Amino acid sequence: MTTSVSPLPTERAGLMSALSSLGQVDLAIIGGGATGLGVALDAVLRGLSVVLLESCDFAKGTSSRATKLVHGGVRYLAQGNVALVREALHERSTLLHNAPHLARPLPFVMPGYKCWETPFYGVGLKMYDALAGKAGLGNTQFLTARQTQACIPGVKEAGLKSGVKYWDGQFDDARLALALARTAAAQGALLVNYCPVTELIHEHGKVAGVQCQDAETGRSYAVRARCVVNAAGVWVDDIRHKDGDALGRATQAMVAPSQGVHLVVDREFLPSDHALLVPKTEDGRVLFAVPWLGKVILGTTDTPRDDLAREPRPFASEVEFILGEAAKYLERAPQRTDVRSIWVGLRPLVRPPENEGSATKKLSREHTVLVSPSGLVTVTGGKWTTYRAMAEDVLEKCAESVWKTSIASCRTADFPLVGAPSNASARPSMTTAPGLNAYGTEAPCVADLPGADIELAPGLTEAMVRFGVRYEYVRSVEDMLARRVRLLFLDAALAARLAPRVAALVQQETGLDARLAEFIELAQQYQTLPD
């Protein structure tokens, strides 16, 4: 099975008209990140009527700020969470199969500078291979020092004794989120970005729908639904508090956010198609250097924080940690002036509320699905790799606790996303600079649009901007340069220079202000390292 190459228009007036004429739907989803989009696709493929509402742009939050890895979780294996790793490895294979134009296998190398490191980690990675079974991407290999250097040129030579190579995957997170949204829409779901939910509708103590507001016009809409799913990521507690306040009931927070920081540098620091991974740095955290779309991502840290900023800023200590640890393993140590972009992702760590224990089902140590007394279904936690399994868990909970009836079986395990080629061997590289290959089977549609021969920057044409507005829900220059193409995340200064031309095209297509000034300010933030 392959998806159609004829793109579905995302013209705003049509979306809002459809929203205004909705009758009651089976499922209203709050949140357009990986989890909410996964639920939308799963639900519509089961024959359910679905509307998804996102307050900003799809994947604006955590889901565009991942480490770009599709992985089973080597660190969870070290903790003994075998079932969790097995599930993630299975989902890794499924994701790579369903979106071969946006995800592909990636070899990792752990360099060994102590005699015990390579055999110790190698044995664990052999177990990783065994758990993957037929879904494995390649066999773990023990490397000599010379072989390690051949795989990851640029690794520090002094003291290098050996290495171990294993396989995981990598992907373009924001474009995968967009592919989920567009695939769900192609199957009949209604998805609207820039339309925040302002209130929940309650009847007789139960959630019966949502009130939302078009961020562009200010017009409000009421959406009635048989079930409401709160998939707002690190912001799920905002919705849960609305639910509790409406019923005069105290609601405990269930998210304890932490942040991961990523620094992007040029490929010359690691001129390889292999990623470098240090599983345990001096303070116990992980360090990685991942080639991605022509650059190298350095990170990440895991630091608790109390606020939930839409654009969180890194702490100075995190930047120093990453650069300091990178200097220990790279022959040429990146300096602050080498950083092309810096960005932060918030991760929703879950602490299920005690006062809802009987209604709480901890489905794994990674994600939680909870049903409040009003029937509001909340899902949070987890990671990109297991988004599809999370969606299955959510819909099972909806059927069991809200609808109290059976529903059709899940179909997402073998359902290619928009743009997926039928031949997986056509996978484009994820380590080289992007271009038309990110569009998969839709590349000819992009090439047919005006401006296909006018390149704004390597890998970005005027036609891509027009395609973004017409078929990919783009409403601003940020949508285009941050998430449809990933320039803000790769080279913030270049993104700022291109922004006026891109904004002009977006404004030409939409007739709206493309919010250029806001983007220039954001790009400056992505260029600025804390002192």
Side-chain angles (χ1 to χ4, degrees), residues 305-348:
R305 66 181 298 160
D306 298 324
D307 64 308
L308 295 174
R310 284 285 179 179
E311 287 289 349
R313 295 174 183 265
F315 302 129
S317 59
E318 295 172 312
V319 174
E320 295 309 311
F321 166 77
I322 294 172
L323 292 177
E325 291 298 314
K328 296 177 183 178
Y329 296 94
L330 296 178
E331 199 68 63
R332 181 185 169 198
Q335 306 298 311
R336 292 170 62 93
T337 53
D338 295 314
V339 176
R340 301 299 181 207
S341 185
I342 178 169
W343 36 275
V344 180
L346 296 181
R347 179 186 178 191

Side-chain angles (χ1 to χ4, degrees), residues 286-448:
V286 171
L287 173 75
F288 58 80
V290 178
W292 187 67
L293 301 184
K295 300 290 184 180
V296 174
I297 300 173
L298 302 174
T300 184
T301 57
D302 193 12
T303 309
R305 66 181 298 160
D306 298 324
D307 64 308
L308 295 174
R310 284 285 179 179
E311 287 289 349
R313 295 174 183 265
F315 302 129
S317 59
E318 295 172 312
V319 174
E320 295 309 311
F321 166 77
I322 294 172
L323 292 177
E325 291 298 314
K328 296 177 183 178
Y329 296 94
L330 296 178
E331 199 68 63
R332 181 185 169 198
Q335 306 298 311
R336 292 170 62 93
T337 53
D338 295 314
V339 176
R340 301 299 181 207
S341 185
I342 178 169
W343 36 275
V344 180
L346 296 181
R347 179 186 178 191
L349 301 181
V350 184
R351 48 184 180 197
E354 296 176 2
N355 68 342
E356 299 181 39
S358 60
T360 301
K361 182 178 180 183
K362 189 75 176 289
L363 295 163
S364 81
R365 295 186 67 177
E366 276 281 89
H367 68 273
T368 293
V369 181
L370 178 150
V371 181
S372 74
S374 71
L376 175 69
V377 178
T378 295
V379 54
T380 194
K383 61 183 179 182
W384 246 117
T385 306
T386 56
Y387 83 88
R388 197 196 63 82
M390 291 169 65
E392 284 193 69
D393 291 339
V394 169
L395 289 172
E396 287 174 10
K397 199 65 174 176
C398 293
E400 170 193 322
S401 301
V402 181
W403 297 322
K404 300 186 186 304
T405 185
S406 61
I407 56 177
S409 299
C410 177
R411 295 175 52 203
T412 57
D414 186 22
F415 197 90
L417 302 186
V418 161
S422 57
N423 181 7
S425 65
R427 291 182 193 275
S429 170
M430 295 297 296
T431 61
T432 58
L436 268 179
N437 52 15
Y439 295 85
T441 58
E442 293 186 317
C445 302
V446 181
D448 284 343

Side-chain angles (χ1 to χ4, degrees), residues 468-487:
V469 175
R470 297 180 189 183
Y471 304 110
E472 295 184 327
Y473 298 93
V474 165
R475 306 301 294 166
S476 72
V477 62
E478 181 193 332
D479 295 347
M480 190 66 212
L481 289 178
R483 289 172 292 278
R484 304 313 184 273
V485 295
R486 309 309 308 278
L487 201 55

Side-chain angles (χ1 to χ4, degrees), residues 234-300:
V234 293
W235 297 280
V236 292
D237 286 327
D238 291 346
I239 303 298
R240 283 170 39 75
H241 291 324
K242 291 180 186 296
D243 183 42
D245 292 347
L247 301 178
R249 179 176 174 277
T251 304
Q252 292 181 327
M254 65 181 293
V255 170
S258 70
Q259 72 176 21
V261 176
H262 306 79
L263 309 181
V264 177
V265 297
D266 291 333
R267 276 292 294 276
E268 62 196 53
F269 290 95
L270 188 71
S272 172
D273 290 334
H274 292 62
L276 181 153
L277 177 70
V278 178
K280 191 173 183 180
T281 59
E282 190 171 285
D283 70 354
R285 287 182 287 184
V286 171
L287 173 75
F288 58 80
V290 178
W292 187 67
L293 301 184
K295 300 290 184 180
V296 174
I297 300 173
L298 302 174
T300 184

